Amino acid sequence: MRSIEIPAGIVEYDETGSGPPVVLLHGLLMDHTVWDRVLPLLPSGLRIVRPVLPLGAHRRPMNPGADLTLAGQVSVVADFLEALDLDDVTLVHSDWGGALLLTARGLDRRVARQVFLPCEAFDNFPPGLPGTMVKLASRVPGGLRFAARQLRVGWLRGLPPLFGQMARRPVPDDLVRRWTDPLLGDPGVLRDLLAYCRGPFDGPSLIRDTEALSRFRGEALVLWSPDNRVMPAEHGHRLAALMPRARYAEVPGAYVLSMLDEPEAVARELGEFLT
């Protein structure tokens, strides 16, 4: 893993290949390894960058006092692109939708193209039943660590409030243990995740900021999974309709984490878009 310093702290990232930069994002309580099944299936000639965002599975706590609310996390993505001096980026969103708001904040100048897998959008922050459970757990002392321990139990992990609505196929134990180790072992990581979960999520503002994507003039691919029950199917169509140069496609049979459920289909659509 490599690392780079931004104003909020140190961000670790994985990088492979060379060529036009493609930045693959991840969701809450996950890291870059959520893309491991897709990575070897992508075309050559691309610089694939996978940052580990401070969303609960990061191993390097951010600076004390760093703004890690939704607004602060949007800045983390922008600052990461800036620190690596990445231009003409293809930004790939999955699960966490904070980076959709780069355009609304005027922070998307390094982003040339975007891909939207099922992710938070409009007023669906935090998303569905799993998001509601995380939000509630963050309000209870010890709640997030308790939830992380439940994720490590296979049969519990498959229940709807946990990963049951996130992935159609069982999420492997080794992945979940990797994702939950930092939260269970480092008070700084817990502090960072609490800062995000307890931050403000204002529905009307989030709708307005998502709709600011109408100002995005680059090419876009909305690669939605209509069978998922966390990110509404309607949101995929709405996102595609917002952007003047967007195309809509589907990954049937997958849930939110389509890169785990159907890696070949995701790689095929993503590869065609990237080349």
Side-chain angles (χ1 to χ4, degrees), residues 7-150:
I10 294 176
V11 174
E12 293 187 313
Y13 66 100
D14 176 79
E15 180 176 331
T16 58
S18 61
V22 180
V23 177
L24 304 178
L25 303 180
H26 60 80
L28 202 73
L29 275 178
M30 302 172 202
D31 68 7
H32 65 294
T33 57
V34 75
W35 288 100
D36 279 357
R37 294 180 184 176
V38 170
L39 194 63
L41 305 177
L42 293 177
S44 59
L46 298 168
R47 180 184 178 186
I48 308 293
V49 181
R50 297 184 292 165
V52 181
L53 302 175
L55 292 171
H58 55 299
R59 284 166 158 68
R60 301 282 293 268
M62 296 290 101
N63 297 332
D67 180 7
L68 296 178
T69 63
L70 178 58
Q73 296 277 3
V74 175
S75 295
V76 164
V77 175
D79 291 339
F80 176 77
L81 301 181
E82 185 82 23
L84 285 184
D85 195 25
L86 298 178
D87 281 317
D88 296 322
V89 170
T90 299
L91 191 62
V92 183
H93 310 264
S94 171
D95 185 23
W96 181 64
L100 272 68
L101 312 183
L102 286 168
T103 299
R105 309 291 166 84
L107 298 174
D108 65 347
R109 69 180 185 85
R110 293 181 176 271
V111 179
R113 301 196 293 176
Q114 300 193 63
V115 179
F116 304 84
L117 275 65
C119 60
E120 298 166 306
F122 304 102
D123 58 349
N124 193 32
F125 288 80
L129 180 58
T132 300
M133 295 303 295
V134 170
K135 183 93 173 165
L136 290 173
S138 72
R139 303 292 177 180
V140 178
L144 286 176
R145 281 183 165 166
F146 177 79
R149 291 188 185 96
Q150 309 314 298

Side-chain angles (χ1 to χ4, degrees), residues 68 78 89-90 129 146 153 169 191 208-209 215:
L68 296 178
V89 170
T90 299
L129 180 58
F146 177 79
V153 180
R169 303 177 189 272
R191 176 202 65 210
R208 183 177 63 250
D209 288 350
R215 303 199 298 265

Side-chain angles (χ1 to χ4, degrees), residues 206-225:
L206 289 166
I207 292 172
R208 183 177 63 250
D209 288 350
T210 302
E211 290 176 343
L213 283 168
S214 62
R215 303 199 298 265
F216 183 72
R217 292 295 179 262
E219 292 182 331
L221 170 65
V222 178
L223 186 57
W224 218 253
S225 302

